Amino acid sequence: MPQNEETVRTYFELIRGLRTGVDGSIEKLTALWDPDGVFEFAGTPPVTGTFTGLNAITVLYRNRFAASGMPLRLQGAAKEDESLETALGVVETDVHRVRVLDDDRVVAGWTTVIGTADRKGFQVSGSHAFTLKDGRITHLRVVVSPKPEDTAGFDREALSVDDIGRLSLAAWAVV
């Protein structure tokens, strides 16, 4: 397996560890980055932003590490005058394809399930476009579909549009 493809696969393994609270995930992830790297969320609001340099990327990873199980107040689609106390539960990414484009670019396509601890949620598709130099990530562009889709075992209809945005922000503090 080419070095850059191996780096990308390692990245997704470490992200899974970050999302599930594995100690050392932040340090191992930041070791994959060039000190001047750029992490770009190129989705639609609220999932947009650019983080430049290792310090900013490290803060991003720390925030995502802390987001696992974070409490959320959702509105619910059926009763907008009531709120629902819950927590971020599941954020699980299935990488469908990793493709090496050339010596320094690798693209991965994926689907991510995002859900609350009480099984309200959805899935979205997207991609990661990596640029690497000497085995380190110099630029990562993450594109997330703006269209939430139903997924088995989760109730998307119980979520308002604002709820989907809140869950997205919690889940995509890092991908």
Side-chain angles (χ1 to χ4, degrees), residues 24-162:
S25 298
I26 296 167
E27 295 79 9
K28 290 176 183 174
L29 275 164
T30 57
L32 297 177
W33 281 87
D34 181 86
D36 297 321
V38 176
F39 189 123
E40 175 189 6
F41 285 113
T44 58
V47 186
T48 59
T50 301
F51 303 85
T52 303
L54 199 52
N55 287 338
I57 293 167
T58 300
V59 169
L60 181 67
Y61 288 145
R62 283 186 186 139
N63 289 343
R64 181 55 188 91
F65 189 83
S68 294
M70 74 183 267
L72 297 166
R73 180 181 295 268
L74 302 179
Q75 294 174 336
K79 299 178 182 176
E80 294 195 23
D81 60 331
E82 292 183 23
S83 64
L84 170 69
E85 299 293 328
T86 189
L88 180 62
V90 175
V91 181
E92 184 62 41
T93 298
D94 179 22
V95 179
H96 302 291
R97 182 175 182 178
V98 175
R99 185 171 165 216
V100 177
L101 300 178
D102 55 36
D103 289 344
D104 63 352
R105 295 182 306 144
V106 179
V107 175
W110 45 262
T111 302
T112 296
V113 173
I114 303 168
T116 64
D118 57 351
R119 311 300 288 176
K120 292 172 180 60
F122 55 95
Q123 72 178 17
V124 291
S125 297
S127 65
H128 278 51
F130 293 85
T131 303
L132 301 103
K133 182 178 179 183
D134 300 325
R136 295 182 113 187
I137 303 167
T138 59
H139 190 266
L140 173 55
R141 184 172 197 262
V142 179
V143 177
V144 180
S145 169
K147 184 179 182 242
E149 299 175 12
D150 291 334
T151 188
F154 290 88
D155 183 6
R156 183 176 61 91
E157 297 301 318
L159 298 170
S160 71
V161 171
D162 288 342

